[in-house]
Amino acid sequence: LGVGRVGRHRVPIDAKVSPLVWIGGGIAALLLLKGRSGGSSSGGGRVELLGSHTLDRGMMAFLNRVSLRSGVPLQVTSGDRRASNQASAMLYKLHHKGGASELRALYRRNGDLVEELLAVEPTEAEWAKQIQSQIDRGRYLSSHLTGRAADLRSRDWKGDQRARVEKAILAEGGRPVFEGDHLHVEGPK
């Protein structure tokens, strides 16, 4: 369904991809693919996974369609998250981006879950435990926890690129939310 990048390497992506581990400049681990892999870069969208992030097959396919439709290469700065990753991201916002009011505004659809977090000690371990408890009850604070969300780097976009990407996301059935330093994307249900 497309070609992604991991580091300097272009890789066919149509599956769940885990990060490459670099030791001394060489690849020390393999891409772990779940399902079939394939595709080509000719005519395909361009989606690059930055860092150690993963996306499920459906979200990668969705982002490839968005890239094709918008004509804009996409860089994913955050994809699927475990409870500990979500806790870390939210604690960063709590301490560096606007505090509890920022969290309440961003996660207003799940305000009760945010309040549960704010009621416990603000450490990654405690928040991860609370988020996992929410997941175990079938409640998901963020679509990142279900594999239906990705954050896209937007700081390098020029001119109308953000508008084109947002329009393509909507046309493909997703929901864009600009969060100041990145574009949060929820894939179709």
Side-chain angles (χ1 to χ4, degrees), residues 2 17 41 48 63 75 88 104 112 143 165 173 176 187:
V17 178
S41 60
E48 182 178 1
L63 291 176
Q75 294 179 313
S88 179
R104 288 180 178 110
D112 59 322
S143 294
V165 170

Side-chain angles (χ1 to χ4, degrees), residues 30-49:
L30 300 174
L31 284 172
L32 301 175
L33 300 175
K34 179 180 177 186
R36 71 181 179 84
S37 64
S40 80
S41 60
S42 59
R46 188 170 138 218
V47 177
E48 182 178 1
L49 300 174

Side-chain angles (χ1 to χ4, degrees), residues 21-118:
V21 178
W22 293 90
I23 296 178
I27 299 173
L30 300 174
L31 284 172
L32 301 175
L33 300 175
K34 179 180 177 186
R36 71 181 179 84
S37 64
S40 80
S41 60
S42 59
R46 188 170 138 218
V47 177
E48 182 178 1
L49 300 174
L50 302 177
S52 60
H53 302 288
T54 62
L55 288 173
D56 77 13
R57 182 183 313 182
M59 194 64 186
M60 180 57 82
F62 169 76
L63 291 176
N64 269 306
R65 291 191 308 272
V66 168
S67 180
L68 278 169
R69 185 181 287 264
S70 67
V72 177
L74 305 177
Q75 294 179 313
V76 177
T77 60
S78 184
D80 298 349
R81 291 184 187 155
R82 295 182 307 263
S84 60
N85 303 116
Q86 185 66 34
S88 179
M90 292 181 74
L91 284 166
Y92 181 81
K93 289 181 186 303
L94 179 70
H95 295 300
H96 303 288
K97 295 280 187 174
S101 60
E102 169 91 356
L103 294 179
R104 288 180 178 110
L106 284 174
Y107 299 96
R108 64 185 166 275
R109 292 185 302 167
N110 291 304
D112 59 322
L113 301 180
V114 171
E115 294 307 321
E116 287 179 13
L117 286 177
L118 293 171

Side-chain angles (χ1 to χ4, degrees), residues 100-166:
S101 60
E102 169 91 356
L103 294 179
R104 288 180 178 110
L106 284 174
Y107 299 96
R108 64 185 166 275
R109 292 185 302 167
N110 291 304
D112 59 322
L113 301 180
V114 171
E115 294 307 321
E116 287 179 13
L117 286 177
L118 293 171
V120 299
E121 185 180 355
T123 66
E124 188 173 326
E126 287 301 312
W127 279 31
K129 187 173 14 172
Q130 186 64 40
I131 292 168
Q132 187 59 54
S133 169
Q134 294 168 350
I135 292 169
D136 293 345
R137 295 190 326 256
R139 301 285 313 275
Y140 297 89
L141 182 66
S142 169
S143 294
H144 284 282
L145 296 164
T146 66
R148 282 193 43 250
D151 291 339
L152 304 178
R153 174 176 285 166
S154 58
R155 69 177 179 219
D156 300 325
W157 290 343
K158 309 263 187 282
D160 69 345
Q161 287 184 318
R162 179 176 141 204
R164 290 179 10 222
V165 170
E166 289 176 337

Side-chain angles (χ1 to χ4, degrees), residues 164-180:
R164 290 179 10 222
V165 170
E166 289 176 337
K167 182 178 178 181
I169 290 166
L170 291 168
E172 291 293 335
R175 185 173 83 93
V177 179
F178 187 64
E179 294 185 355

